[in-house]
Amino acid sequence: MSVLLDGRKIGHMEIARNHEGDTLTTRQALAIRISRAGQPLVLTSTTTAVEDTVAQPLAFSTETGMSKVTSGSHGSRRPDGLFDVTTSVGGQVQQDTLGWPSGAQLAEGQRQTMLARGFIPGTRYTMRNFDPNSRSAIDVGMEVIGPEVVELPGGRERLQHLRQTLRLTRGEQVMDLWVDDQAYVRRGMTPFLGFHMEMVACDHTCAMAPDQDIDVLRLAMIDAPRPMTQNLRETPIRYVVKVTGNARGELIQTDEQSVTRLGTDLYALDIGVGKRGNESPPTDDDTAANAWLQSASPELHAAALAAVGEAGSDLQRMRRLRTFVSEHIDSHGLDVGYASALEALRSGHGDCTENAVLLTALARSLGIPARVVTGVVYATRYGGASRVFVPHAWMQAWVEGRWRSYDAALRRFDSTHIALATGNGDPWKFYTAMALLGNIRIDRATPLDGIMDTMPIADSAPAAPSGSGMR
């Protein structure tokens, strides 16, 4: 398959099936090449599913290249039905046991379900698809649109048009598929940053043709309704935001961001007034180590202890940790796709996501609840554009009874930080939030009365982000 973004080729995908004995192995390998602010970035993802003759899962694996170290996981079914899972991120290996989610299917199971349900227009049903990246099941609503003649690079084909709706934790993601009579995908299209990402079946020469240059960071920018001066950024602001499409309801409440619905797709966002209760208190998950936030690592814990020194409160510790990360990471590393906390600590290289995951992991290593935040932030100029909000990542820590934001990449948190999602550092959650960007428009930004009490003391106030989380 050739992979296109609004008609411009950015990569290719290969799908291979191998039926041997009582097992069927399906392998999907994707490679795309994009640029961010002129910096080239190659992203690769390979997913393998192994199933038996009745499409019961036997094993799965995924391997992703988003940073200089490849990450991935592999799971295999045991006789008792549980799965032994090995995860590798940033050179760190973790072993877990997974109970298979009820009803979850891998590639062949999904294909057989589509065949069994048939292609009568108007048919609707739900599948549960297993996602190897998050190691969880995703409910997928299926709708049969009907037969259509589709123009592919190799000629016209009569295909069945299906519409998939992925029911994610926050909102929905829609993908249109065109399959042949055996339910093999020949074309796929899904919204991406307000544009269309398309995959079309073609021969090897077509799929491997040279890619075209496209800057996805520029595509993801949101125009600001007014210049956001430094004085304005340091006061609470009310934004009027329009959210369209399937992204409705995706704006989140935080202890620094209050969301009020004004209409069907219109919201007021008040940012900059510290307030308890908009978010739930931390849970054990907010201090736990995971594959991307290796807070149990002795190396990372030692770095945290050295950074905080004799600080006597969590507020002081967080300020010192933020300063350490800001000075440790070269925030111009746009060639890094998405690195773990240990990778960022060891390399000292990355952009806003590396700043965010490292600071979150350092905080957790000291027992301070912390999470990664994905959103956008204002830039006076960035990537050749002026007065725009650009994709960004920072973090929250539970300090003095509420969640407070810290931005190591920009050295300060201000009221131009608009949060879209919080997470545990796993990149699949990051990319889910980024899918909203093409559906957001900022209509107004008006200062609110009051004094902002959420911003740490800034070492400097850069006019634009020194790194962007856009992938």
Side-chain angles (χ1 to χ4, degrees):
M1 289 186 150
S2 183
V3 181
L4 313 171
L5 190 61
D6 256 29
R8 301 175 69 181
K9 185 176 184 298
I10 61 169
H12 64 273
M13 171 182 274
E14 181 181 4
I15 303 174
R17 289 164 43 86
N18 180 34
H19 199 170
E20 185 174 334
D22 294 333
T23 63
L24 176 66
T25 302
T26 305
R27 179 180 178 273
Q28 301 182 44
L30 170 70
I32 62 175
R33 185 185 66 84
I34 56 178
S35 64
R36 297 181 300 163
Q39 293 290 323
L41 180 66
V42 176
L43 307 178
T44 61
S45 175
T46 302
T47 301
T48 304
V50 183
E51 299 159 87
D52 63 18
T53 54
V54 292
Q56 292 299 304
L58 300 176
F60 66 88
S61 66
T62 179
E63 186 174 281
T64 304
M66 292 184 295
S67 64
K68 297 180 179 180
V69 178
T70 300
S71 62
S73 64
H74 173 80
S76 57
R77 193 172 75 186
R78 307 187 321 197
D80 62 4
L82 297 176
F83 278 70
D84 288 325
V85 180
T86 302
T87 302
S88 175
V89 175
Q92 299 295 301
V93 177
Q94 180 177 322
Q95 307 260 342
D96 293 299
T97 301
L98 171 71
W100 191 257
S102 176
Q105 300 174 313
L106 293 173
E108 178 62 11
Q110 296 164 24
R111 186 185 75 87
Q112 291 187 15
T113 295
M114 287 188 281
L115 281 177
R117 293 287 188 163
F119 302 123
I120 299 175
T123 299
R124 295 173 183 266
Y125 56 95
T126 299
M127 296 196 302
R128 297 203 80 201
N129 295 354
F130 182 76
D131 176 25
N133 291 303
S134 63
R135 296 174 294 284
S136 63
I138 298 176
D139 288 333
V140 179
M142 301 292 295
E143 178 186 1
V144 180
I145 306 299
E148 296 177 1
V149 175
V150 179
E151 191 76 48
L152 297 178
R156 292 183 176 180
E157 296 185 19
R158 184 181 182 277
L159 302 173
Q160 300 291 341
H161 183 184
L162 308 177
R163 181 159 293 148
Q164 286 189 340
T165 303
L166 279 65
R167 295 163 184 159
L168 305 171
T169 304
R170 300 187 61 83
E172 298 177 340
Q173 181 177 337
V174 177
M175 172 179 281
D176 284 278
L177 301 176
W178 287 263
V179 303
D180 63 19
D181 291 338
Q182 295 301 310
Y184 293 120
V185 177
R186 302 290 291 163
R187 182 188 184 208
M189 182 175 290
T190 187
F192 180 74
L193 304 179
F195 295 81
H196 289 99
M197 179 174 285
E198 184 178 10
M199 296 174 291
V200 291
C202 61
D203 61 24
H204 184 269
T205 300
C206 163
M208 301 305 294
D211 297 326
Q212 298 171 277
D213 186 57
I214 185 166
D215 196 318
V216 294
L217 180 57
R218 184 66 189 94
L219 297 181
M221 294 178 182
I222 302 170
D223 290 333
R226 61 183 289 177
M228 308 297 289
T229 63
Q230 191 61 47
N231 287 340
L232 181 60
R233 296 183 216 179
E234 295 177 358
T235 63
I237 296 176
R238 169 164 291 179
Y239 297 92
V240 176
V241 177
K242 187 177 181 64
V243 183
T244 59
N246 295 308
R248 294 178 184 176
E250 287 288 344
L251 300 172
I252 66 170
Q253 300 268 6
T254 76
D255 285 349
E256 297 149 338
Q257 175 171 297
S258 296
V259 182
T260 304
R261 183 186 290 270
L262 302 178
T264 302
D265 53 9
L266 208 61
Y267 299 84
L269 268 66
D270 293 344
I271 301 177
V273 181
K275 180 181 178 181
R276 291 179 175 86
N278 274 356
E279 292 182 85
S280 300
T283 67
D284 290 343
D285 289 342
D286 294 314
T287 53
N290 61 46
W292 294 92
L293 304 176
Q294 305 100 329
S295 52
S297 160
E299 180 181 350
L300 199 145
H301 182 59
L305 290 175
V308 300
E310 299 299 320
S313 69
D314 284 348
L315 182 63
Q316 291 178 327
R317 293 184 187 96
M318 284 308 307
R319 285 175 172 168
R320 293 187 183 186
L321 288 177
R322 199 281 302 156
T323 299
F324 166 74
V325 174
S326 297
E327 295 174 350
H328 181 73
I329 292 184
D330 168 16
S331 295
H332 298 280
L334 291 175
D335 58 325
V336 178
Y338 194 107
S340 71
L342 264 180
E343 288 179 84
L345 178 65
R346 290 170 177 172
S347 70
H349 191 61
D351 61 16
C352 64
T353 51
E354 285 66 45
N355 277 272
V357 296
L358 177 55
L359 184 53
T360 303
L362 290 169
R364 289 190 179 192
S365 76
L366 299 179
I368 302 173
R371 54 178 62 156
V372 176
V373 184
T374 302
V376 295
V377 72
Y378 178 77
T380 303
R381 288 192 59 81
Y382 196 82
S386 300
R387 299 176 181 174
V388 289
F389 284 82
V390 300
H392 194 55
W394 61 98
M395 62 85 71
Q396 290 178 329
W398 181 261
V399 175
E400 296 183 345
R402 68 177 176 87
W403 291 102
R404 293 175 180 261
S405 287
Y406 297 86
D407 187 338
L410 299 189
R411 297 178 177 265
R412 67 181 301 129
F413 173 79
D414 63 24
S415 55
T416 67
H417 287 68
I418 299 177
L420 299 179
T422 59
N424 64 355
D426 196 312
W428 78 272
K429 295 186 177 180
F430 176 89
Y431 292 117
T432 298
M434 288 297 99
L436 304 176
L437 293 179
N439 296 309
I440 296 176
R441 188 183 76 209
I442 303 175
D443 289 339
R444 292 198 299 275
T446 307
L448 289 171
D449 293 334
I451 298 174
M452 193 170 184
D453 67 345
T454 59
M455 294 186 296
I457 300 300
D459 298 327
S460 63
S466 52
S468 169
M470 186 56 231
R471 305 298 159 203

